Amino acid sequence: MTQTIGIIGSGLAGKAVAHLAVAAGRKVVISNSRGPESLAALVKELGPLARAGTVDEAIAAADIVALSIPLPRFESLPAARFAGKVVIDQTNYYPGMGDFRRADLDNGELTSSELIQTYLAGAKVVKGIHNIGWHHMQFNARPKGDDQRTTLPIAGDDAAAKAVVSQFIQDVGYDVLDVGSLANSWRIEPNTPIYFWPYAPTIPEGLTQEQAKKVYQQAGKPLTPDAARRIVDTTVRPSPIGGTLDGLPPIHIALFLELASADTVQR
C-alpha cells in the first residue's frame, strides 16, 4: 500500500513537505487549525494524492506524521492520538518568539525534540527536515545518485522509527545522516553549523533585495554525508541555546516576513 504522510500545519514548511511527498508518490493528508475547507486551493495544487483533513484525521490516516508547526503550539496537539505513530519533529526552539520560553530548554536539560517526545509519550519521535528552509526543501531535492544531492540530519531514540523516516527522506530527494539520540539532537538545532546555512546559495555583494531574493531561491551547494558528519561531530553547543534571527540569512528573514502573515502566522 502507498505510504501516507499526515501533515500538521499548512504553513511554509508544511506545504513544502506536502509537495515533496506527492512528488515521491506518497499520499498526503494535510491539516491546520482553521479546518479542511481552508485548504481547498492547496489540495488542488498538490493533486490527486493529497486531501485535506482535520488534525485528528491526518494523524489517524498517517504512516508518518510531520509536525510542521511552531514549537510554542505543541501543547495544542491531541497527544493521545499519536500513540504508536512515527512522528517527524520539524519544530525549532526560538526563545521568546510567540512569548514562548522554557527554562528546561534554556538550561539544556532537554532538547526541544525531547520535549516533544515527552509530550507525545506514546509516539516515536524523530527530529528531521527541520534545518532547511521551506524553499530549499524543494529546490535542493535530487534523485539518488545525482552529484548535487545533499544530506539532511536526523536524530531519534527508536531505531525502527529512524529507519522509516530515513527512507522517506531518501525517497523525497536527500541523503540522510543519523546523529544519534534525541538528547544529541542539540547538534542539529538552530544556530549550529548544519542549520540552514549549508543549504543556501551564496548571495553576491551589490545585489538589490529583489535580485538577492531570486538568487536565494535557488539550490545551495550539495553537502555529502561525510561532510555533514564532520560538521556535526565538531559542533559545540550554542550558548545561549536556541535560534535567533541573527542566526539566519538576512534574505531568508526578508522572504519569511513577506510571506508569514498569509502562509504561517494564521496556522
Side-chain angles (χ1 to χ4, degrees), residues 153-228:
I154 64 169
D157 295 337
D158 186 287
K162 284 198 286 188
V164 169
V165 171
S166 179
Q167 188 62 60
F168 172 68
I169 294 174
Q170 291 178 67
D171 289 348
V172 301
Y174 292 91
D175 290 331
V176 176
L177 174 68
D178 183 351
V179 307
S181 67
L182 293 179
N184 205 43
S185 64
W186 63 265
R187 293 181 177 275
I188 58 177
E189 287 183 338
N191 280 4
T192 62
I194 204 166
Y195 189 80
F196 267 74
W197 289 94
Y199 308 101
T202 301
I203 307 296
E205 293 183 6
L207 298 184
T208 66
Q209 187 172 74
E210 290 307 310
Q211 290 171 329
K213 286 178 184 177
K214 289 181 181 179
V215 172
Y216 187 70
Q217 294 182 82
Q218 298 175 19
K221 293 180 180 179
L223 184 67
T224 67
D226 285 345

Side-chain angles (χ1 to χ4, degrees), residues 111-187:
T111 63
S112 61
S113 289
E114 286 181 296
L115 177 64
I116 295 294
Q117 178 65 85
T118 299
Y119 183 72
L120 304 181
K124 302 168 185 177
V125 174
V126 178
K127 185 78 167 179
I129 325 182
H130 66 289
N131 65 316
I132 182 170
W134 73 91
H135 28 53
H136 297 125
M137 211 182 291
Q138 291 179 249
F139 301 150
N140 289 14
R142 295 290 186 276
K144 200 165 187 177
D146 192 299
D147 62 5
Q148 295 299 300
R149 187 169 163 107
T150 195
T151 304
L152 295 179
I154 64 169
D157 295 337
D158 186 287
K162 284 198 286 188
V164 169
V165 171
S166 179
Q167 188 62 60
F168 172 68
I169 294 174
Q170 291 178 67
D171 289 348
V172 301
Y174 292 91
D175 290 331
V176 176
L177 174 68
D178 183 351
V179 307
S181 67
L182 293 179
N184 205 43
S185 64
W186 63 265
R187 293 181 177 275

